[in-house]
Amino acid sequence: MMKRFGHRLMQQGTVLLRGEAATASENAGWMSVGFGGLNARMASSHAENTNQFISEALEHLEYPERLQKMLLAPEREVSVELEVLRDSGEVDIYKAYRVQHCNSRGPYKGGLRYHPQVDLDDVRSLASLMTWKTAVMDIPFGGAKGGITVDPTTLSDREAEILTRKLVQALRPVLGTYEDIPAPDMNTGGREMAWLFDEYSKFNGFSPGIVTGKPVWLHGSLGREAATGRGTVFAIREALRALKLGEIKDKTFVIQGFGNVGSWAAQILHEQGGKVIAVADAFGAIANERGLDIPSLRRHIGDQHSLASYPDGIAVPKETILTVPCDVLIPAALGGVITEENVNDIQCKMIAEAANGPTTFEADLMLREKGVTVVPDIYTNGGGVTVSFFEWVQNLQNFKWTEDEVNEKLDVCMTNSFRDIWEICESDKLPLRTAAFAKALQRVTRAKVHRGFE
């Protein structure tokens, strides 16, 4: 049975995208992940897709043009150049960006990513997404994003630290505990956030609330590491119930990306009785139609073995992962991986977007025609920014919550947010994504209008 399953997947690999795999990373996992289809992602601008989804919601809400301009334009864009003395004695200059999209509902909030493909267009789009994500989750933050155009694998630890501290020095005038609060993103994590916290505190005094995603032992929050993956599971649970498809137990799941988000989502789904039948990372994929033993698989990878070498499964081409038949497909790595070219090969009842922007606008329209429900990224992966908010609150209080408290509060936020989206979805007969953007736009608009324009 297993051999037939693996053979079927091997055959599917011949009809999918043949683009070369490239290195990127998971937005909350700080692990490099690369998949076929990157060429499609590069061709389809993040900003273009985001604006098309927002335009759908704006059209439904029938907002006047003056409101649309006010909602879509970023409030500040900062570009800086950072000079770093390399270990070799050479001086390199790196471009860095911070886009602050909207702070009507609270301080700007958004991650910092280190990646060679970071540019202003990407950062601008992701800043906008953060505005809508915090609004959908109904937490009192706005939206921002930042990054450095650098391949972090080329930096020594000393060079990475200097680059991070230089970034803080350059952006210090626009950052602040109540102004703009960065967080980890692609290829950054607790280490970089600790450097950022320390460098900012040199100039402004003890300021743990300047950044979230810090190590737990350095004013970070319990539950933060698993937050995006756990929130993804809560999102799936609520969507299954709303669609009257039952519970997570005995459902089949396929996960593209096995970094922080993908591995935690798999672990929690496994604990709740779900069957994770296939997973992929940058280097390979593994499948078992009876369900993978996720704790064992995570130990296998933790012992520095490759995912594809896991003995209790069949190694399959990573390019086939999106087409494995399942109940729920979870893209948890790159953006733009579900496209017009491969959407007809997808065989699932639901897609839960744990990654940022995994589905292009054209593919999203085709999925609607196929009757595949898409639980959108601005809600599905909102667990990360929600627990970032919890960390910020704890820092302001100088008080630490228990992990159970954090997880319970996250459950409440994810449940309430889905309820609000589903109400619009049902009453206005909209797809979940359009309903989510509509709810976010309503909340941001209300804040902007009531605060005034002076």
Side-chain angles (χ1 to χ4, degrees):
M1 194 73 168
M2 280 291 296
K3 287 183 179 178
R4 288 201 301 273
F5 186 58
H7 179 65
R8 187 163 67 243
L9 294 178
M10 292 287 286
Q11 287 180 320
Q12 290 170 354
T14 64
V15 298
L16 289 183
L17 295 175
R18 301 177 186 270
E20 293 181 1
T23 300
S25 72
E26 191 172 66
N27 62 329
W30 350 131
M31 280 186 65
S32 292
V33 181
F35 295 97
L38 183 68
N39 293 337
R41 182 179 72 89
M42 294 299 295
S44 178
S45 162
H46 282 148
E48 181 183 346
N49 281 322
T50 301
N51 287 339
Q52 286 176 306
F53 289 133
I54 293 170
S55 294
E56 268 197 315
L58 286 169
E59 183 179 345
H60 171 73
L61 293 170
E62 298 181 342
Y63 277 5
E65 187 177 348
R66 63 186 179 86
L67 265 184
Q68 295 187 34
K69 286 181 180 178
M70 184 176 65
L71 289 166
L72 298 179
E75 294 172 353
R76 179 186 286 144
E77 296 181 348
V78 180
S79 299
V80 297
E81 294 187 343
L82 309 175
E83 299 175 357
V84 174
L85 179 65
R86 302 295 299 269
D87 295 342
S88 64
E90 297 293 320
V91 173
D92 281 346
I93 299 175
Y94 301 93
K95 290 186 179 295
Y97 310 94
R98 187 70 175 174
V99 174
Q100 297 172 332
H101 180 261
C102 178
N103 67 347
S104 295
R105 301 184 65 259
Y108 301 109
K109 186 79 182 78
L112 289 170
R113 56 177 50 192
Y114 293 0
H115 195 273
Q117 293 171 356
V118 165
D119 60 28
L120 188 58
D121 178 66
D122 250 2
V123 174
R124 185 184 293 124
S125 171
L126 292 167
S128 169
L129 272 177
M130 284 303 299
T131 296
W132 317 126
K133 186 178 296 184
T134 55
V136 162
M137 299 310 301
D138 202 18
I139 54 178
F141 282 145
K145 208 72 170 186
I148 303 176
T149 308
V150 60
D151 180 354
T153 64
T154 66
L155 302 175
S156 68
D157 288 349
R158 185 196 73 87
E159 291 166 342
E161 180 175 354
I162 290 173
L163 186 62
T164 301
R165 292 182 184 274
K166 288 265 190 176
L167 179 67
V168 177
Q169 293 165 20
L171 295 182
R172 190 165 58 88
V174 301
L175 301 179
T177 301
Y178 294 96
E179 177 69 19
D180 185 350
I181 306 147
D185 199 277
M186 189 181 290
N187 293 324
T188 59
R191 181 184 71 162
E192 289 77 15
M193 298 306 105
W195 292 334
L196 197 156
F197 155 54
D198 180 72
E199 187 67 21
Y200 187 85
S201 294
K202 287 180 183 178
F203 297 95
N204 296 277
F206 179 67
S207 307
I210 183 57
V211 64
T212 60
K214 302 179 294 295
V216 172
W217 55 89
L218 195 64
H219 312 290
S221 176
L222 294 167
R224 176 65 183 86
E225 182 185 358
T228 309
R230 188 178 300 278
T232 296
V233 175
F234 290 149
I236 292 168
R237 180 197 65 195
E238 293 305 306
L240 287 172
R241 289 175 177 175
L243 294 166
K244 296 181 170 46
L245 294 176
E247 298 293 327
I248 286 171
K249 183 176 173 58
D250 295 327
K251 294 290 187 299
T252 56
F253 300 86
V254 170
I255 303 177
Q256 184 205 40
F258 208 66
N260 174 281
V261 177
S263 62
W264 274 110
Q267 175 73 29
I268 297 165
L269 289 167
H270 180 83
E271 291 170 358
Q272 296 188 11
K275 291 169 61 177
V276 180
I277 60 172
V279 299
D281 66 6
F283 311 104
I286 195 80
N288 185 328
E289 64 183 351
R290 299 189 304 270
L292 294 160
D293 183 340
I294 298 301
S296 172
L297 176 59
R298 295 183 77 193
R299 287 193 298 270
H300 176 82
I301 294 172
D303 291 337
Q304 306 304 310
H305 300 299
S306 69
L307 182 145
S309 68
Y310 181 62
D312 189 21
I314 298 294
V316 298
K318 63 181 182 290
E319 294 82 8
T320 66
I321 193 73
L322 296 173
T323 67
V324 178
C326 61
D327 293 315
V328 183
L329 172 64
I330 306 173
L334 296 176
V337 295
I338 300 175
T339 68
E340 288 178 281
E341 287 76 19
N342 64 8
V343 68
N344 286 326
D345 297 314
I346 289 173
Q347 304 176 67
C348 63
K349 299 173 184 173
M350 179 191 299
I351 296 173
E353 295 182 331
N356 278 328
T359 310
T360 66
F361 181 75
E362 294 78 13
D364 192 67
L365 295 178
M366 295 170 72
L367 286 167
R368 296 176 199 177
E369 293 176 2
K370 288 181 64 173
V372 177
T373 299
V374 179
V375 189
D377 53 354
I378 63 167
Y379 166 67
T380 303
N381 63 36
V385 72
T386 301
V387 177
S388 284
F389 167 61
F390 296 163
E391 179 180 337
W392 183 68
V393 170
Q394 291 170 78
N395 292 158
L396 297 183
Q397 295 176 334
N398 282 314
F399 189 77
K400 188 177 286 292
W401 301 345
T402 68
E403 188 167 358
D404 284 345
E405 285 180 294
V406 171
N407 292 341
E408 288 167 8
K409 293 177 190 296
L410 175 60
D411 193 351
V412 170
C413 283
M414 296 299 297
T415 301
N416 290 345
S417 296
F418 186 86
R419 179 201 62 209
D420 294 341
I421 296 168
W422 186 251
E423 284 179 1
I424 295 179
C425 180
E426 287 284 273
S427 64
D428 295 5
K429 306 302 179 187
L430 296 175
L432 278 172
R433 189 191 307 279
T434 311
F437 273 109
K439 173 54 72 173
L441 285 161
Q442 287 173 341
R443 285 175 171 157
V444 174
T445 302
R446 185 170 56 207
K448 276 187 170 288
V449 170
H450 281 264
R451 291 185 66 164
F453 303 103
E454 297 300 323

